[in-house]
Amino acid sequence: MASNLAAGFTCHANGESTPGRGSSSGRSRRHRSESESDVGPTDKSLARLCSRDEEERAAALEELSRGVLVCLELDRPGSAQLSKQTLLHLLRLSRSCPLQEVRGRATELLRTAQEQGVEVPRALASGPSSFIPAKEILKQGLDQDILIESFLSLGRVDHITMVMALHPAYLSCFLRTQHALLEMDGPLPRHWRHYIAVMAAARHQCSYQVQQHSAGFLEAGGEESWLSGLEHAPTKLRSLQTLNKLLAHRPWLITQQHIQELVCPGAEPRWSFAELIHAVVLMAHAHSLCSFVWGCSLNPEPDHIGGYTFQLPSPRRQARGKSMMEVEVLMQRMVELQQQEEECTQEEMVTRFERERSESIPTAVVRGAPPDLVLRLVEEPEFRYEDFAPKGEQSPPTMRAQDYSWEDHGFSLVNRLLPDMGQLLDEKFQVVSNLTYNRMAMHEGVDTHTLRKALWNYIHCLYGIRYDDYDYGSVNVLLERSLKVFVKTMACHPEQTTAHIYHAFWRHFRHSEKVHANLIVMEARLQAALLYTLRAITHYMR
């Protein structure tokens, strides 16, 4: 299956070169002109590096090396040079490939190119997250089985996967669900799926996901013009905008009228129920993943805009240490709640729920204007989250979990209209709800069930969902204010998450435990948004 070398590696004709710094070899650095266009199908040619056959991978690696060296030898005026795209592929492989032989060879080829006078890119970030030290995320190394499987299946190990690998059981479920949503057989074309995810991620100014799904959209055959603005996309996709903004920011406002406008026989263009469910799950998945991306402050991928530079590095600043605090008080509160025998009246339970959902939690952080690649894909960017129950205002009716729940209603509807997706989502919800290592900070053998349940129910409370059999007084006992600030920011307007908000809560906990909290927020938010939309669909179908 050996392919032609010239087709496998993108070289370019040397045009005018910008004078650069001298290299150790005495050559001037060669720059790639921005006007040059890519020649070879780099993505496809490098796909053989992901083969499960070791001999196939070895052959692809040798082909990669020969192709790069061929390009480096052609440094005569009017000949060829390595393209920017190929250099960025090598950078990505050198930083994140879990196969040591591929990672090492990519690093070696970049070094060789630099020695030959080629100006090579470097990653701007030292790791996947700006909140979590790289050594904490990669404590188990890149060569973990789950990361190798991700690379062989998907062709890359992105920063989301690296951080989630702190919790392998969850990551497995997440990757299966995302793969089914984006790649498996379904009612929506593959390029539409990525475009819908782009539209959804743009609502939260998440350039990380916008870039990721824009690349997937183009790879699936999408028209590049669609990415220059919503007005270039088909009318049918644009008709999702109202549902998209409500699902992202105020899902409790979604009614059967919104569903009717998309699926009724007179709608033009009309969505089938299967197509609509697919689109809804895609949007909700992307919205909730924005919470994780912002909540962990994921850095741009090394081959994405903002993730690399061709400039020399500047001196590093020393990271500041974090303070420690005692955890025994929280543990004691958890034990007391588990042993508590007092029973509250239903009226008191409702009062405690209302107290939690109407509590004023400040989250007024203002970011700069989002980048143009995001802004041009958002309709009504000023439409944002507002508290479900602002003080002094009439609030929408609370959704009682006993009246419409995932287990009794949502699961079966999704599974009926989008086969297997209900099962995949349910497995993910179950795994994150039950995920525990029976430890808390420096303590082992701890039952964290009450804390995990308080987190989940607090997020649903923020979205106006009440469980009749849950005492919301537990939320106030177990969730300190700094944690509430983080959870509400991440669940409701994640683009406003800051390093201060992240580091202020659970200062005595491991980063992996904070990532665990992020996963709970992400999945609880996802389920809440789905419940409101699925309820509206159910009401319309009656």
Side-chain angles (χ1 to χ4, degrees):
M1 291 182 61
S3 59
N4 184 285
L5 275 180
F9 304 94
T10 314
C11 300
H12 288 291
N14 278 338
E16 294 183 3
S17 295
T18 305
R21 301 180 184 88
S23 69
S24 57
S25 63
R27 303 168 189 258
S28 62
R29 290 182 181 268
R30 287 176 283 160
H31 295 252
R32 177 189 184 277
S33 167
E34 291 300 323
S35 63
E36 292 171 348
S37 59
D38 290 339
V39 174
T42 310
D43 285 335
K44 293 180 181 178
S45 61
L46 292 179
R48 293 174 61 221
L49 291 175
C50 307
S51 171
R52 294 181 184 275
D53 185 301
E54 290 188 18
E55 291 185 1
E56 176 79 1
R57 285 204 308 272
L61 199 54
E62 289 306 315
E63 183 180 322
L64 170 64
S65 299
R66 291 196 305 271
V68 169
L69 294 175
V70 164
C71 288
L72 291 176
E73 290 171 358
L74 302 177
D75 59 355
R76 298 179 303 278
S79 60
Q81 65 180 30
L82 286 172
S83 73
K84 179 179 178 181
Q85 184 183 6
T86 297
L87 289 168
L88 290 176
H89 272 292
L90 290 173
L91 176 64
R92 173 169 60 81
L93 290 170
S94 72
R95 299 281 300 182
S96 62
C97 181
L99 300 173
Q100 196 281 327
E101 67 275 15
V102 176
R103 189 169 68 249
R105 186 69 63 88
T107 302
E108 180 185 318
L109 290 171
L110 284 173
R111 188 185 304 118
T112 301
Q114 190 171 35
E115 290 170 352
Q116 293 298 312
V118 174
E119 189 173 60
V120 301
R122 65 176 179 88
L124 283 171
S126 61
S129 163
S130 66
F131 289 170
I132 310 170
K135 63 180 181 181
E136 292 289 325
I137 296 172
L138 300 175
K139 191 177 294 184
Q140 303 300 321
L142 268 172
D143 57 348
Q144 300 172 58
D145 289 345
I146 194 164
L147 296 183
I148 292 174
E149 177 58 34
S150 176
F151 179 77
L152 296 180
S153 301
L154 307 175
R156 68 187 297 150
V157 176
D158 59 23
H159 290 167
I160 290 174
T161 302
M162 287 186 191
V163 176
M164 286 186 181
L166 289 168
H167 302 283
Y170 174 82
L171 176 58
S172 295
C173 296
F174 173 85
L175 291 177
R176 281 196 297 273
T177 304
Q178 182 166 263
H179 181 68
L181 272 174
L182 294 171
E183 307 297 338
M184 300 291 281
D185 290 343
L188 294 176
R190 186 165 166 257
H191 65 296
W192 275 41
R193 303 180 199 189
H194 283 285
Y195 195 80
I196 290 169
V198 165
M199 291 165 58
R203 291 286 345 162
H204 283 305
Q205 304 176 21
C206 186
S207 58
Y208 180 96
Q209 279 201 86
V210 168
Q211 289 198 69
Q212 207 169 40
H213 288 292
S214 293
F217 169 76
L218 295 173
E219 185 184 326
E223 292 185 30
E224 192 169 1
S225 62
W226 295 13
L227 298 174
S228 63
L230 292 171
E231 66 275 13
H232 300 290
T235 305
K236 186 170 180 176
L237 282 173
R238 296 203 309 273
S239 69
L240 289 174
Q241 277 304 306
T242 297
L243 194 59
N244 183 28
K245 73 178 184 182
L246 292 176
L247 198 57
H249 307 298
R250 303 176 212 169
W252 51 85
L253 298 181
I254 296 173
T255 67
Q256 65 185 76
Q257 180 63 34
H258 295 112
I259 306 304
Q260 179 178 335
E261 290 171 359
L262 295 170
V263 301
C264 73
E268 183 56 43
R270 182 185 180 186
W271 289 79
S272 70
F273 279 113
E275 289 174 333
L276 183 60
I277 285 286
H278 197 173
V280 163
V281 177
L282 276 166
M283 288 187 288
H285 172 84
H287 295 150
S288 64
L289 195 52
C290 288
S291 289
F292 186 81
V293 170
W294 284 113
C296 294
S297 190
L298 295 191
N299 292 315
E301 295 293 320
D303 56 343
H304 284 178
I305 295 171
Y308 64 88
T309 181
F310 285 88
Q311 302 297 318
L312 292 176
S314 56
R316 293 181 179 179
R317 292 181 297 175
Q318 293 295 318
R320 293 179 296 175
K322 301 178 190 66
S323 62
M324 297 289 288
M325 63 180 290
E326 295 298 315
V327 70
E328 281 77 6
V329 173
L330 177 56
M331 291 176 61
Q332 182 61 34
R333 289 175 177 177
M334 290 165 58
V335 171
E336 289 173 357
L337 284 172
Q338 289 168 339
Q339 296 174 346
Q340 187 172 293
E341 295 181 0
E342 172 195 4
E343 289 193 10
C344 299
T345 64
Q346 191 60 43
E347 290 75 15
E348 177 62 20
M349 300 273 266
V350 172
T351 299
R352 292 180 179 182
F353 170 81
E354 295 295 340
R355 188 182 301 134
E356 284 301 327
R357 79 166 185 173
S358 60
E359 181 183 12
S360 177
I361 300 292
T363 53
V365 176
V366 179
R367 288 189 178 271
D372 186 55
L373 68 92
V374 171
L375 198 57
R376 63 194 179 202
L377 295 165
V378 179
E379 187 178 87
E380 290 186 70
E382 68 281 359
F383 187 91
R384 313 306 301 165
Y385 171 86
E386 289 184 358
D387 282 349
F388 177 83
K391 286 188 176 180
E393 295 184 22
Q394 183 70 31
S395 62
T398 297
M399 177 190 279
R400 296 174 67 249
Q402 285 70 14
D403 295 336
Y404 198 92
S405 69
W406 169 256
E407 294 80 6
D408 297 332
H409 307 91
F411 168 79
S412 57
L413 179 61
V414 173
N415 236 24
R416 177 157 57 92
L417 295 175
L418 198 60
D420 299 329
M421 185 49 62
Q423 190 66 46
L424 288 166
L425 289 169
D426 190 63
E427 181 185 3
K428 193 152 58 81
F429 294 148
Q430 291 294 327
V431 167
V432 81
S433 296
N434 297 320
L435 188 64
T436 182
Y437 303 94
N438 296 309
R439 67 179 181 230
M440 183 177 289
M442 68 292 293
H443 297 275
E444 302 289 339
V446 182
D447 182 357
T448 61
H449 171 75
T450 54
L451 181 58
R452 286 179 279 120
K453 189 171 184 179
L455 272 172
W456 185 279
N457 287 355
Y458 176 58
I459 295 147
H460 277 201
C461 174
L462 292 173
Y463 276 74
I465 299 173
R466 176 167 62 87
Y467 294 85
D468 287 346
D469 58 352
Y470 183 73
D471 179 4
Y472 286 86
S474 303
V475 170
N476 225 29
V477 172
L478 297 177
L479 307 189
E480 60 183 7
R481 189 168 181 81
S482 59
L483 174 56
K484 283 185 173 181
V485 169
F486 175 78
V487 168
K488 183 173 181 181
T489 303
M490 192 177 147
C492 303
H493 23 76
E495 61 278 7
Q496 295 184 4
T497 307
T498 64
H500 172 74
I501 291 174
Y502 175 85
H503 291 302
F505 84 96
W506 284 2
R507 287 174 290 175
H508 47 297
F509 281 60
R510 299 174 176 91
H511 284 289
S512 63
E513 291 171 308
K514 290 192 173 190
V515 171
H516 188 176
N518 285 349
L519 296 177
I520 293 174
V521 175
M522 179 176 78
E523 292 298 335
R525 176 198 172 167
L526 170 63
Q527 189 181 97
L530 285 177
L531 284 174
Y532 280 110
T533 316
L534 296 173
R535 183 180 67 169
I537 292 174
T538 299
H539 288 170
Y540 176 78
M541 294 175 75
R542 284 176 180 167

